Amino acid sequence: MAVQAIRKGEKITMFNVNEITENDVVKSADIIRRSYKTVAEEFGITEENTPTHGSFLKDEKLITEFEGGKKMFGLYEWEKQVGFVALETKDGENYQIEKLAVLPDYRHRRGGRELMKYAENQARDAGGKLISIGIIYENKRLMEWYKNLGYKETGTKIFPNFPFTVCYMKKEI
């Protein structure tokens, strides 16, 4: 469990990161949907043009991923879950970050950074050498955030039905 106290004005925020349990999966799906909703609105994403976007995530899909062994971690402010990240590997050396989400009211308090650090440490401790993520290329603010975490852009891809370009980023861990 990672713990960090962050002073924001006069308020102290205590974040910790824990592995998601079966009881937290449906709540995590809701956090992902609510977190991704702001992105969907900003970039014109709808269920029709991007049905796989996190803002439309079905509980059953996340339950299936959890039951399939995908590692999932929650960000908590004290006892309340306010964020989520999933970590997957195909070969034990290359890891993929998925569904990084922090509720809008909890953004810009370093919680997303805590989730990323925790997931990177989990991958490294398991023998990982490289970690990657796919993001919306047009989301320059998010791209800069990942660059500040040490990620480098490795390429882009245009999918015919998506109203955005996907940017792939990687980091050695």
Side-chain angles (χ1 to χ4, degrees), residues 9 14 17 36-37 49 64 72 79-80 91 96 104 111 116 119 124 134 138 143 147-148 164 172-173:
M14 180 69 74
V17 179
Y36 278 54
K37 183 180 180 203
N49 64 25
T64 299
M72 300 179 179
E79 299 296 321
K80 179 182 178 184
D91 62 14
Q96 174 83 23
M116 290 298 293
R124 183 177 22 259
E138 292 80 2
M143 187 181 301
K147 286 180 178 178
N148 287 333
F164 56 85
E172 291 182 23
I173 50 175

Side-chain angles (χ1 to χ4, degrees), residues 128-144:
K129 306 287 185 219
L130 196 66
I131 196 159
S132 61
I133 190 160
I135 66 167
I136 296 173
Y137 178 76
E138 292 80 2
N139 191 338
K140 300 302 182 188
R141 183 177 59 240
L142 185 61
M143 187 181 301
E144 282 306 310

Side-chain angles (χ1 to χ4, degrees), residues 28-59 61-62 84 98-104 107 136 162-164:
S28 295
D30 182 58
I31 287 170
I32 294 164
R33 283 189 296 271
R34 289 169 42 208
S35 298
Y36 278 54
K37 183 180 180 203
T38 59
V39 176
E41 290 170 352
E42 182 177 352
F43 292 97
I45 297 168
T46 66
E47 195 163 6
E48 291 73 36
N49 64 25
T50 317
T52 58
H53 189 259
S55 55
F56 313 111
L57 178 69
K58 306 289 186 235
D59 293 350
K61 178 164 175 35
L62 198 62
F84 176 90
E98 297 180 359
K99 300 176 185 69
L100 177 66
V102 176
L103 291 172
R107 293 178 184 159
I136 296 173
F162 289 4
F164 56 85

Side-chain angles (χ1 to χ4, degrees), residues 2-7 11-16 75-80 82 109:
V3 177
Q4 181 173 356
I6 301 161
R7 185 172 299 278
K11 182 179 179 183
I12 295 179
T13 301
M14 180 69 74
F15 287 119
N16 58 54
L75 176 71
Y76 296 83
E77 180 187 51
W78 304 107
E79 299 296 321
K80 179 182 178 184
V82 299
R109 298 188 199 176

